[in-house]
Amino acid sequence: MAEKYGGVYKIWFGVNPWIVVSDPVRLRKLAYKCVGKPARMSEYGHVLTGVNYEIEQANAFVASGEVWRRGRRVFEASVIHPASLAAHLPAINRCANRFVARLAQRAAAATAGGSGRGGDDESGFDFFAEVGAYTMAVVGEVAYGVDFGTIDDGSGAGAQEAASAAGAAGATGSSGSSGSSGSSGSSVGRQLQDAAMTSFKCLQVENATKYLPLRVMFPAARPLVRWLASRFPDRAQREHMAARTQIAQVSRLLMERWAASKKEAAAAAAAEAAGAGKTVDGAKGSGNKAGGFKEVGGGISSSSFMAAMMEGRRGASQEERLSDTEVIAQSFLFVLAGFETTADTLALTAFLLATHPEAAAKVVAEVDAVGEQELTAELLAEGLPYTEAVLKEAMRLYPPVPYLLREAREDLDLGGGMVAPRHAYLVLYVHAMHLNPDMWPHPEAFLPQRFLPEGAAALGPADPGAWAPFGIGARMCVGHKLAMMVAKTLLVRMYQRFNVALDPKQPLPLRMKAGLSRVPLDGIWLSLSEREAKKQAAA
């Protein structure tokens, strides 16, 4: 559309005009100048009411003002600082190793003639549907400090199920049953996973409540529509509200467990200081005197995002202290922002490598050089330049979130005699910028060397700001370093172990679908086989 209408044009969304900006210079300027999201941005995706609406408005993605600043600060403290990233790495490594073991079972079954997922060729499988189990496990453990169980229990809680509203997630997550204080850690994780998957399902346009188009088409009637949705909910509205209520209830349960563990730890420390050397119940101390839970699944692990927020509240001033509503909101936002987008990037990266064998060979050579050594934060940040270039090029061609949404808080001069009026919605179309031939030589081609020193001059962008899959400016995704770490970890372990090929069942050309993120409509179908060296090592 940019080629037809230029770098700035207007579209209509319901009765609201949206100004689309794809010109790189204007886009970057507006991204830095316009920090505020539209006040009713979340209302274009669902019709939450009551407490669930309050929680939604408190998350850092849609909030403005001081609420946004508080939320942004806690994200920065937990996922940007090198020490925080390193603290999350054991969980990432653990989830990656478990997922690769799951892939190995699939590859072995295919080699032995085991059953697959339909079709004449039983060796192939939809990697996009599967890799969501890994990303959900990672973001669940990092956000909440509990094991979601998406890898080991065979639930198949993949991104495809969320994107298409199919599979077990919709069936298991719609009950809305509340958590209880006696729930085990694994059941708590399962409750969160099911509720999160149901929420993803209900956020897809084709699965949305019937009240959503009414609110979009008749913005003046929003209070009435919300009242109707709360009094006479349809099935989609009931499912979504039940899922969000479940998330809030389980979150509060975990927060209570964290607070209780701190009290127990303080009492144990006081008793030990007094010379008792025992915990308050008379049992010998277990060595867990910091008050955190030793094992994932027993409660909130001390390195988790939720634990960081809870700990931060203890010494913060009143104006800096997050409310319970804000803690719940930021924790779920962590999952919402990191699950499908990272699964999408991993699936599309695998597709591009499967269709570009020379690039795949370079990735294999690079990850083989790593060997079986521990994947440290330093190695993942600086030791895999070609793998990182591949990921960046995949996100240039297929940014998971293709546009940024902002609100003009004042009349904005767009140049060329164009003015965006106050309160206008600005759509900063990043994907169009990524494919702009004035910015990128051969923009449609997959060329990872664009992001390497030796290829940047000839193939890199004319403007360094023309690559922005994580956003731009103050609203840039704060979890971009963590997301790259999660993606690289799996690519290293996956390509070290398997030959990865495109399965004949893969529909071509690749079709994409826009929902919460821009995802492959038909999935990404791959075939895996153990690499010969790995087979010999195992023997």
Side-chain angles (χ1 to χ4, degrees), residues 28-255:
R28 290 186 66 198
K29 179 180 178 181
L30 292 171
Y32 281 102
K33 184 177 181 64
C34 301
V35 175
K37 297 284 186 76
R40 295 188 175 93
M41 177 177 165
S42 64
E43 296 187 2
Y44 286 93
H46 45 67
V47 186
L48 296 177
T49 61
V51 173
N52 289 328
Y53 176 78
E54 295 174 8
I55 293 173
E56 175 74 6
Q57 295 303 302
N59 81 58
F61 185 71
V62 300
S64 297
E66 191 54 39
V67 175
W68 167 67
R69 281 185 282 273
R70 281 199 300 269
R72 179 80 181 186
R73 280 195 289 268
V74 299
F75 272 99
E76 289 175 347
S78 183
V79 296
I80 284 186
H81 193 278
S84 299
L85 287 172
H88 297 315
L89 192 52
I92 297 170
N93 275 316
R94 181 166 51 249
C95 291
N97 291 335
R98 288 161 58 196
F99 183 68
V100 167
R102 173 168 157 169
L103 293 180
Q105 293 176 348
R106 179 178 287 281
T111 301
S115 61
R117 292 223 169 179
D120 296 329
D121 179 3
E122 298 293 344
S123 65
F125 69 103
D126 184 356
F127 182 63
F128 180 48
E130 293 289 335
V131 75
Y134 166 65
T135 57
M136 179 63 86
V138 171
V139 297
E141 187 168 331
V142 172
Y144 292 98
V146 298
D147 187 348
F148 271 25
T150 57
I151 295 176
D152 294 334
D153 65 5
S155 64
Q160 183 80 10
E161 280 84 349
S164 63
T172 60
S174 60
S175 63
S177 59
S178 62
S180 66
S181 60
S183 300
S184 68
S186 60
S187 67
V188 166
R190 183 66 194 210
Q191 290 168 36
L192 280 168
Q193 175 218 324
D194 289 347
M197 296 302 290
T198 298
S199 185
F200 275 103
K201 182 194 76 168
C202 294
L203 283 168
Q204 304 304 317
V205 173
E206 64 270 27
N207 303 307
T209 171
K210 65 185 179 183
Y211 291 107
L212 180 62
L214 290 176
R215 191 161 63 182
V216 172
M217 294 301 298
F218 305 104
R222 283 191 178 101
L224 174 61
V225 173
R226 188 179 288 118
W227 183 87
L228 289 171
S230 64
R231 299 304 191 278
F232 308 102
D234 60 0
R235 179 178 177 180
Q237 181 71 6
R238 287 194 300 272
E239 286 188 356
H240 200 181
M241 286 290 290
R244 290 299 185 98
T245 298
Q246 176 81 342
I247 291 165
Q249 289 174 337
V250 175
S251 296
R252 289 192 177 94
L253 170 63
L254 289 172
M255 293 159 68

Side-chain angles (χ1 to χ4, degrees), residues 408-464:
R409 297 296 169 87
E410 58 186 20
D411 291 351
L412 293 175
D413 183 1
L414 301 178
M418 295 178 290
V419 175
R422 186 184 179 198
H423 299 313
Y425 282 21
L426 304 173
V427 181
L428 309 182
Y429 196 9
V430 170
H431 191 207
M433 182 175 70
H434 283 186
L435 299 178
N436 188 328
D438 294 331
M439 289 289 107
W440 300 90
H442 313 292
E444 303 286 345
F446 174 66
L447 300 171
Q449 56 267 42
R450 299 180 197 276
F451 298 96
L452 296 172
E454 59 269 26
L459 298 170
D463 185 318

Side-chain angles (χ1 to χ4, degrees), residues 274-291:
K278 295 184 178 183
T279 59
V280 290
D281 61 359
K284 287 290 182 183
S286 64
N288 188 21
K289 298 180 178 64

